[in-house]
Amino acid sequence: MTLDERLENVAVIGAAGKMGSGIAVLISQEMAIQKLKPENKDKIYRLNLIDVSERALDGLRSYLRAQILKRAEKSTVLLREIYKERKDLIENGEIINEFVNDTYELLNFSTDIELVKDASLVFEAIFENEEIKIKVLKQLKELCKKDTLFLSNTSSIPISYLDEKAGLDGRIIGYHFYNPPVIQRLVEVIAAKATTEELKNIASELGKRLRKKLVSSNDISGFIGNGHFSRDGLYALNEVERLKEKYGYHGAIYIMNKVSQEYLIRPMGIFQLIDYVGVDIFECLLRVMRTHLGDECLISELIDKMVNNKILGGQYPSGAQKDGFLKYEKNRPAGVYNVVKGKYYMFDEDWKAGIDKEINPTNEKFVPWRALLMDAKKVDKLKTHFDNLKNMNTFGSELALDFLKETKAIADNLLVDGVADSADDINAVLMNGFFWIYGPINNYI
Amino acid sequence: MSYFRKKIYACAGFNTIALGTGRKEFRPKKPRPGIEHYIKEAGLGSINQIKNPENIDEGVIGNFMAARFCRQGNLGGFFPMVHPTFQYKPCIRVEGACDSGGLALVTAIKTILADLADVVLCIGFEIQNSVKAIYGADYLAGAGWYSGDRKEGHAYFFPDQFSQRAGACFEKFGKEKVRAGMAQWYVNAIENARKNPKAQEYHNKNSDLMTTGLTPPNPKVFCEHINVFDCSKVSDAASALIFASEEGLKKIEVDKNDAVEVLAYAQVQDNLTTPPPDFTKLSTCQIAAKRAYKRAGLTPNDLSVLDVHDCFTIAGVLAVEAAGFADYGEGADFIKEGNTKSDGKIPTNTTGGLIGYGHPTGASGVRQAVDVVHQLSEKAGDCQVKIHPDKPYGMMSSMGGNDKTVVAMIFKKIE
């Protein structure tokens, strides 16, 4: 079966989740474009969106309607071409509206997993829990046709393991979108040992259709993205344990977050990123990797305590950030958690000024990530920035340079361990999936 | 012998800030000032510069698409809200797409020439940020022929019309040369806007404007031959200017030195339902300029300042040719050589033009007249250019649609 044939009937399992809903937006638009081709006018297209609760599906409906509209507005040049024979549709507004309706008509929302029975492509995007994933994949195998292909959005569980446990005989591939899938260009592709050539080709062609940047990762738990992120986060967590003696947990977290964002010029600080991903997801990530890699170092007492205290981060259905290591007001950090005291310390200007003075006594100003993002001369400017850091000899610059070295060491190890085939792949994942403006393997150190 | 049967003066010009992307205070998702605010700010901005506002006889407002952008018609009805002097006096709204402002100017002048008024307040106004650009493109496409051309047209209808003009010029005169002229036009527009605190690009800090101007087009999401920087801005703004007879100036106690004389204008209409005769020139603009020069008894060499309708950089390039400053096909080089910069041979769009100040469509014609009047009366602030004693003239040319509706107007400094 070709990709076009497979796109006639697709299912997303876990469709109401953060990743599933994004995948649903991308696939629905591609399916609608297929459906509207003159040669396909007699075919029936269905995207089956399956999740466990009706309430979650309601949220999914609103999200999809808004996202499909938004993407249609951005694709109007193409849509005018698609509808050129429709004499009744003249203005952009009419064409956009028609496309939203045409897309919406191919969607099936349900809590009934049996709807997958006719699907030729199934995206699995359920919670990152391997027992549940295996159970669901087994169930899908029973319900689906013999040639249905499965794309798993797991971010850490080895695909060969899922393949063997669910008995899919190579009809599964790792297809790891980044959050949020409608915006992030990166998809990590992970072939299991037995993944069929057909599925590899389908996955690659689909990536082109969705205009995603595909990076292959080898099938080792965590893959490239989380293989790096988990250890990067763990380094920061361990630094917090070291710094907490002097600054308390809340001070140490504030420092490491600030250093990683401002000194390393990243889009957000490391603890804001862990909050964004979800503290519980991060814990789960470490656990999965610890199990599959047998590496007992992949553990953090602090993370476990946070999860115990139910300080989990993540997002509200509206997209607003929930409190985690940091407390948020209007999606901006406004306080920081102290796990021993079990409470947030709101940022107080005097307190911040006191700590800032310790890490940055010379009151150096750094160019923000956003300013460099589109800067044609960012490579040179980054070089100047890191050269400055080296001459600064402040507490903050030392923390930053150590972090920069560690980040590179983590990436180097991904090469040594055979997770990634090249430094370029690692840099591509961090730059496209995490919006860094430079890769971890660089000449800035 | 002068073209008009009596002298006409323009004075008390006022422009609001052009609000939209680029301005620091612009917050797309927050509520913004509406029609009432803009019309009032501009109207009072003019009225506050004169005495005895009870002597204003009429109001004329130019606007293109408030019916769609703001769901509001009957705009003449806002004059009595601006000032009680307008209560029960004649007020009218005129429309001619992006030349609505130009038509407002000539409507005001005609009323005075007809001896029906001595003082007329002329306002131009548009709000465009009320919808996303992709829907705004629909509304603005109303400047073209809806039932004839819209269906076959591009999502961004007007940008594409001028992209086609750019393409035709690339082919005929050489891509590199025309492209360089367009990019230089962009650079000049932003540099001038940085001197104009009301301009939408006033806050622009880009240190490499030429590279930005040369950004390669992306036909997948926009147009084939132009980039987004080649386009004028989506703007909310209003402008106002008072026209008066000799008698009228006395009534509102405006000193002649604070006014500028209107020497002549040409209002020219082309058929909306036929394609432009030649994509490599602005034929209608050229006819308008020639007539205006003839009526004023002047040539391009007599002007100290020029303001043209640069809805796109290529329109700016072609408008300079149409105004008689460069030969056919030579506009790009003329601009590239710096002749249209504020210290060049003919300072053009000295306050930023439609690309730098912004393009609140229905207001633009009035805004252009206000800025030429300010230049000739030496009130242009940091944008002021040298008005040569032997060349006390300035011209504005505004355009609606794809070179369909044009007003060219020549002003003279009073000595």
Side-chain angles (χ1 to χ4, degrees), chain A residues 250-251 254 323 325-330 332-338 343-353 355:
Chain A
H250 56 295
Y254 171 82
D323 297 339
F325 281 101
L326 301 166
K327 187 172 182 61
Y328 298 87
E329 282 173 6
K330 292 182 179 168
R332 290 187 177 186
V336 55
Y337 192 69
N338 184 315
K343 67 167 190 176
Y344 284 98
Y345 285 75
M346 297 312 287
F347 288 156
D348 163 293
E349 288 308 319
D350 291 343
W351 177 79
K352 275 207 293 189
I355 294 199

Side-chain angles (χ1 to χ4, degrees), chain A residues 169-186:
Chain A
D169 299 327
R171 286 188 288 133
I172 184 169
I173 196 163
Y175 214 60
H176 179 211
F177 287 87
Y178 274 67
N179 183 26
V182 291
I183 295 175
Q184 299 272 40
R185 277 196 68 223
L186 181 71

Side-chain angles (χ1 to χ4, degrees), chain B residues 348-385:
Chain B
T348 305
N349 293 13
T350 56
T351 57
L354 280 60
I355 288 167
Y357 168 78
H359 185 21
T361 42
S364 282
V366 181
R367 196 278 306 155
Q368 291 179 278
V370 167
D371 287 345
V372 172
V373 167
H374 280 160
Q375 285 290 4
L376 293 178
S377 50
E378 313 268 353
K379 289 177 179 164
D382 290 345
C383 299
Q384 186 65 49
V385 298

Side-chain angles (χ1 to χ4, degrees), chain A residues 73 80 86 89 91-93, chain B residues 68 132 135 138 151 155:
Chain A
E73 286 168 345
R80 288 192 75 89
R86 285 285 299 274
L89 302 175
E91 293 206 322
N92 296 334
Chain B
R68 295 195 79 183
K132 290 184 180 173
Y135 304 112
D138 277 338
K151 177 62 188 170

Side-chain angles (χ1 to χ4, degrees), chain B residues 185-186 189 201 230-233 310 312-313 352-357:
Chain B
W185 187 275
Y186 170 76
E201 292 284 5
D230 287 313
C231 303
S232 52
K233 312 286 294 181
D310 57 334
F312 300 92
T313 54
L354 280 60
I355 288 167
Y357 168 78

Side-chain angles (χ1 to χ4, degrees), chain B residues 14-20 22-25 41 189-205 236-237 350-352 356-358 367 371 374 379-384:
Chain B
F14 184 89
N15 300 320
T16 69
I17 282 171
L19 191 63
R23 288 295 303 194
K24 278 183 183 160
E25 63 270 48
E41 185 189 345
I190 305 302
E191 284 177 350
N192 289 341
R194 286 172 178 167
K195 292 182 282 184
N196 177 4
K198 304 266 181 84
Q200 205 166 323
E201 292 284 5
Y202 178 61
H203 298 129
N204 188 318
K205 297 270 190 295
D236 300 349
T350 56
T351 57
Y357 168 78
R367 196 278 306 155
D371 287 345
H374 280 160
K379 289 177 179 164
D382 290 345
C383 299
Q384 186 65 49

